[in-house]
Amino acid sequence: FDYLKNDYPSDSSPTSPPAPLGISPLSFAFQAVLEHAVREEDPKSPAKLLELFNFSKEQNVPLSLNSATLLIKLFGRAKMCDESVTVFSELRPDLRNIHVVNLLLDSLLKSGRIDDALKMVDKMLKSQLNVQPNDTTMDTVLSAFFTRNWSGRNVREEEIIGIVSGF
């Protein structure tokens, strides 16, 4: 990363290639490193991915959409929901699309964080996340409500009716 920071032409340089969607070349370098780590690393060791993510934050490397998607998906599978939320928070708001939001929603639900998931759905329905829920959103939420048994928290019928009517 240091090499790219120091030797890659700046955005103001006339020889600088335009960065797609305003994403730094460092973001794509991190994405390549991350994709390589996923292929090479033991899939049971998401700690390495967390280490890479934390290193990228220390280096002020903005996340690309693909990097965020990959991290949220893998942290979600590993039941590392807090890390998934952190990745989502680090992603530029203009890059957050429905696919990324649905991945985070799934991670929240699988981790039993029903209230956080319901807040996210509510924000989507009120257009506060700048993405509209789709069929996958509804499938994710309803299948979680009907197939999971959460200890200490039940989803009330009124909540389900409210969400379904919002879609």
Side-chain angles (χ1 to χ4, degrees), residues 74-132:
L74 294 172
F75 288 154
R77 284 185 194 156
K79 304 283 192 252
M80 297 170 66
C81 192
D82 289 338
E83 289 77 4
S84 292
V85 171
T86 301
V87 169
F88 183 79
S89 299
E90 292 288 326
L91 183 63
R92 281 186 7 207
D94 62 311
L95 294 178
R96 296 175 187 162
N97 62 24
I98 189 62
H99 179 67
V100 173
V101 172
N102 284 340
L103 284 173
L104 181 58
L105 185 62
D106 187 55
S107 179
L108 291 168
L109 290 166
K110 286 181 178 174
S111 296
R113 292 176 56 175
I114 302 166
D115 292 325
D116 292 331
L118 291 174
K119 286 177 191 171
M120 179 171 251
V121 170
D122 190 49
K123 285 181 179 181
M124 290 172 64
L125 294 172
K126 292 178 179 174
S127 299
Q128 295 173 343
L129 288 179
N130 297 321
V131 294
Q132 294 299 311

Side-chain angles (χ1 to χ4, degrees), residues 4-80:
L4 288 174
K5 280 183 181 178
N6 296 329
D7 295 339
Y8 195 82
S10 70
D11 290 338
S12 59
S13 167
T15 60
S16 176
L21 299 173
I23 302 292
S24 162
L26 292 173
S27 298
F28 294 112
F30 173 67
Q31 180 179 326
V33 169
L34 186 63
E35 289 173 357
H36 180 72
V38 168
R39 281 192 290 273
E40 297 296 319
E41 191 61 42
D42 178 0
K44 295 177 185 167
S45 178
K48 269 295 196 200
L49 297 177
L50 180 59
E51 219 176 283
L52 282 171
F53 172 61
N54 288 333
F55 177 75
S56 75
K57 284 178 27 177
E58 290 169 12
Q59 297 293 314
N60 294 319
V61 176
L63 285 172
S64 69
L65 178 61
N66 290 342
S67 294
T69 301
L70 184 59
L71 286 169
I72 291 170
K73 184 185 305 182
L74 294 172
F75 288 154
R77 284 185 194 156
K79 304 283 192 252
M80 297 170 66

